Amino acid sequence: MKAIAFTQFGDADVMSLQELPDPLLGPDQVLVEVRAAGVNPVDYKIRAGYLQGLMPHHLPLIPGWDVSGVVRAVGIGVQDWKPGDEVLAYARKDHVQFGTYAELISVPDRMIARKPSTVDFVTAAALPLAGLTALQALKAVGTGSGDVVLVHAAAGGVGHLQVQIARELGASRVLGTASPRNHEFVRSLGAEPVSYGDALVDAVAEIVGGDGLVDVVVDNAGGLAFDQSLQLVRDRARMTSIVDGPRALENGVVNTWARPNAEQTQWLVDLVADGKLRVEVQQTFPLEEAVKAHRLLEGGHVRGKVVLTV
């Protein structure tokens, strides 16, 4: 099969299109013909070697944890899937080596959700990791009916889904930090936009009124936004950060790391099919242009997601 892989850690140029052996198919795995692969910030962090101390890595390494495609074959222990099924998954395994930037990938069946026919492969591939990150972070701090929620980086891959999911979970108001050029986009998702910067605390207090505090904060940005959020949330146990685990723990804030969950993935993609969740894809690249996709994402300021097509 053709796949994007690298044999040493480094910048985007270490990746190249290579001919590699087809994946093995374990007894509880599904072999998927990849149609699209989502590109996430964690992918370039893995490529740069930043996560080597967190989980085992093996070279040559194919990056990518998001996939949509068509089942080609199933392992002998698989009951619920058959060749021809259209699927999607957050395909993070315990060891980092055989990712989704490839023509084929074997995925444990416990990670897979069924792609509705009305959802295209690009949209499906953009959803799993960002959607699960958004949903699981909101659930970790008990987001529910009547909550006023502040989402940082509300125009980004996770944030733009989070503002919509918060509404689905019952939030009464959602505020989203974004640069001014993305305020209309954030507003179109159902959030009240607010600009980043030194004036954020006062701006949020003015918008929400009363004591100027919010019920839930989801930090997708870190840095100054993290510090400001400590002043804005009523209870630090209802603030979560996906970007700064050590500081979260030091400050009584919940740290979240997305876990594969087929049931939640199905719930999310069904929302997309029902027109209740919009997945913004800023740009697609063919598989062989993965280097360009990484450079775009590393440059920041991406609205929504970037996806590779296969």
Side-chain angles (χ1 to χ4, degrees):
M1 68 172 183
K2 290 184 172 63
I4 294 292
F6 56 87
T7 56
Q8 64 182 32
F9 299 101
D11 62 20
D13 289 326
V14 301
M15 298 190 302
S16 64
L17 187 66
Q18 302 179 22
E19 287 282 350
L20 294 173
D22 289 353
L24 298 175
L25 180 61
D28 63 346
Q29 294 182 333
V30 172
L31 185 65
V32 177
E33 296 177 357
V34 179
R35 295 291 185 267
V39 181
N40 295 287
V42 71
D43 298 347
Y44 66 71
K45 294 174 184 177
I46 286 172
R47 187 211 69 223
Y50 296 154
L51 272 65
Q52 289 183 80
L54 189 62
M55 58 188 73
H57 289 54
H58 307 279
L59 301 173
L61 192 156
I62 303 168
W65 284 344
D66 271 341
V67 64
S68 68
V70 179
V71 174
R72 174 182 286 189
V74 301
I76 57 174
V78 174
Q79 302 288 326
D80 298 328
W81 304 101
K82 64 182 187 304
D85 287 342
E86 297 184 351
V87 297
L88 68 156
Y90 170 32
R92 175 170 64 81
K93 303 170 186 177
D94 294 334
H95 288 232
V96 183
Q97 183 175 21
F98 300 116
T100 61
Y101 293 14
E103 291 180 326
L104 294 168
I105 183 173
S106 58
V107 183
D109 61 352
R110 67 183 182 275
M111 300 180 181
I112 294 174
R114 191 173 304 278
K115 185 186 78 64
S117 60
T118 54
V119 178
D120 63 81
F121 285 109
V122 167
T123 299
L127 179 64
L129 174 51
L132 289 173
T133 301
L135 175 61
Q136 292 173 10
L138 288 165
K139 282 184 168 291
V141 290
T143 306
S145 180
D147 281 334
V148 177
V149 179
L150 172 62
V151 174
H152 288 294
V158 173
H160 89 286
L161 298 173
Q162 215 150 38
V163 297
Q164 300 172 77
I165 295 169
R167 287 288 197 182
E168 284 295 318
L169 295 177
S172 62
R173 297 177 71 183
V174 181
L175 283 65
T177 61
S179 59
R181 69 185 179 87
N182 281 320
H183 280 196
E184 263 320 301
F185 172 63
V186 169
R187 191 174 286 112
S188 74
L189 300 172
E192 300 168 66
V194 57
S195 294
Y196 296 110
D198 295 336
L200 178 65
V201 173
D202 290 338
V204 170
E206 183 176 350
I207 292 171
V208 300
D211 61 7
L213 301 178
V214 299
D215 301 302
V216 171
V217 173
V218 185
D219 172 35
N220 303 313
L224 177 61
F226 184 98
D227 297 330
Q228 292 169 322
S229 296
L230 296 176
Q231 303 175 55
L232 286 167
V233 70
R234 239 178 226 103
D235 177 358
R236 290 187 181 186
R238 301 200 71 198
M239 172 177 163
T240 181
S241 177
I242 69 168
V243 293
D244 203 335
R247 291 193 67 209
L249 295 174
E250 291 168 6
N251 288 278
V253 170
V254 179
N255 178 232
T256 48
W257 174 273
R259 302 180 65 175
N261 185 308
E263 183 178 351
Q264 291 179 341
T265 303
Q266 193 68 60
W267 183 77
L268 290 164
V269 77
D270 287 344
L271 284 180
V272 176
D274 292 341
K276 297 178 179 178
L277 182 63
R278 169 182 169 189
V279 182
E280 180 78 3
V281 176
Q282 175 173 311
Q283 192 166 349
T284 63
F285 294 88
L287 179 66
E288 59 269 22
E289 294 184 6
V291 169
K292 292 182 181 178
H294 273 221
R295 286 177 178 157
L296 175 63
L297 202 59
E298 287 181 279
H301 311 298
V302 169
R303 177 186 289 183
K305 295 296 300 293
V306 174
V307 175
L308 300 176
T309 56
V310 182

